[in-house]
Amino acid sequence: MTEDMGSTVPRRQLGRTLKQLRTEAGVTLDAAADALECSRQKVWRIESGLGVVRSLDVRAMCALYDVKPELVGALVGLATQTRAKGWWHAYGDAIPEWFELYVGLEAVASRLRFFKDALLPGILQTREYALGMYRTDQPEMDEDGRERAVEARLQRQSLLTRRLPQAPIVEIVLSEAALLRPVCDRQVMIGQLEHLLTVSTLPNVVIRVLPLAAGQHRGALAGSFIILDFPAGNRNTPEPPIVYCESLTGALYLDRPAEYAAYEKVWASLDALALDEGQSRHMINKIIGEM
């Protein structure tokens, strides 16, 4: 399972450390790129944890920042871990490059909090619902591409029931509108809603509904988002919590304390307005009956 986690966390840990060392050394991003004879984009990608890092590049950066030898050795060791590949690499372009980082972070998170105001999150979707989404959202994709994308989405769901490492705590607040919006035919929607009821019985999963009757709320301004928290770990510095916000062509990974605090406040407001678990199941059952 450790191999399945891929290189996401080592890449981010290495990138954060190199950025901190550059800042402490008083070297700008442009100056570092000039001294290393590479593009500014390359230095930025390394510091952002967006790709494999060569030991040669780490040594060159450490020399530029005058890093102590013992720390250089540790960072070079971390760089070797950035070459590991997670299970999602087997699906090729079925998973966009900008989404790969999220999948890796999701796999190592200890707690995931979702707010979805329009559609159901991929981690809860049935095969038929997911196929319907891809046929609508990406009509140019061929059927084989859709199947691979759906398989990757279903593979992600295995983290809900995994044994080692321990499955994360998953808390989901769904807008009532997401439950009512037909993505496919009636039978597919009924099957999807019944799947929500089944998943909600897992001991580590909480699914709650934010009713339309709640009126205006802070989540309407924030839009859909996911908050990821990570375990402390034994040897490395814990990965800081992250807020993930997705758009049509990319995503934002917000990890500054002020950004995290802002979304924590939004989550607290949603938590206060959402129905409890029992009331949420009752509403889902009611919608199924009406369908």
Side-chain angles (χ1 to χ4, degrees), residues 167-227:
I169 300 298
V170 179
E171 302 167 53
I172 302 169
V173 173
L174 302 171
S175 168
E176 183 183 351
L179 305 177
L180 296 172
R181 178 171 287 105
V183 169
C184 301
D185 61 44
R186 184 178 302 179
Q187 207 54 46
V188 168
M189 289 303 299
I190 290 174
Q192 174 63 73
L193 295 178
E194 289 175 340
H195 180 66
L196 294 185
L197 294 174
T198 300
V199 175
S200 71
T201 63
L202 294 173
N204 57 312
V205 177
V206 174
I207 298 176
R208 298 171 62 199
V209 178
L210 181 67
L212 293 173
Q216 176 66 5
H217 54 85
R218 299 181 75 170
L221 179 61
S224 295
F225 62 88
I226 306 169
I227 302 176

Side-chain angles (χ1 to χ4, degrees), residues 58-182:
V58 172
R59 291 186 187 280
M61 288 180 168
C62 288
L64 178 62
Y65 308 149
D66 195 24
V67 178
K68 294 180 180 178
E70 57 269 25
L71 181 53
V72 174
L75 294 178
V76 169
L78 202 53
T80 63
Q81 298 180 39
T82 69
R83 291 193 289 270
K85 289 189 175 182
W87 61 262
W88 51 91
H89 288 273
Y91 291 91
D93 59 3
I95 297 181
E97 183 180 1
W98 52 263
F99 190 57
E100 286 185 11
L101 177 57
Y102 171 77
V103 177
L105 291 170
E106 181 183 70
V108 296
S110 57
R111 184 187 185 196
L112 296 162
R113 285 176 284 172
F114 295 76
F115 170 61
K116 292 292 182 178
D117 61 347
L119 296 165
L120 302 180
I123 203 168
L124 294 180
Q125 292 174 11
T126 63
R127 174 185 293 276
E128 294 75 17
Y129 183 97
L131 275 172
M133 281 191 59
Y134 277 111
R135 287 179 180 133
T136 301
D137 297 343
Q138 300 188 44
E140 72 284 354
M141 184 183 288
D142 61 32
E143 200 61 29
D144 180 63
R146 291 192 193 104
E147 284 291 343
R148 286 189 296 115
V150 170
E151 284 299 328
R153 182 163 294 186
L154 297 177
Q155 175 67 25
R156 283 175 51 211
Q157 299 176 8
S158 63
L159 68 84
L160 295 175
T161 55
R162 74 186 181 202
R163 293 188 176 183
L164 291 174
Q166 184 176 356
I169 300 298
V170 179
E171 302 167 53
I172 302 169
V173 173
L174 302 171
S175 168
E176 183 183 351
L179 305 177
L180 296 172
R181 178 171 287 105

Side-chain angles (χ1 to χ4, degrees), residues 25-43:
V27 180
T28 67
L29 199 61
D30 289 323
D34 289 341
L36 297 167
E37 298 183 348
C38 66
S39 68
R40 186 180 191 274
Q41 177 75 359
K42 178 178 178 178
V43 179

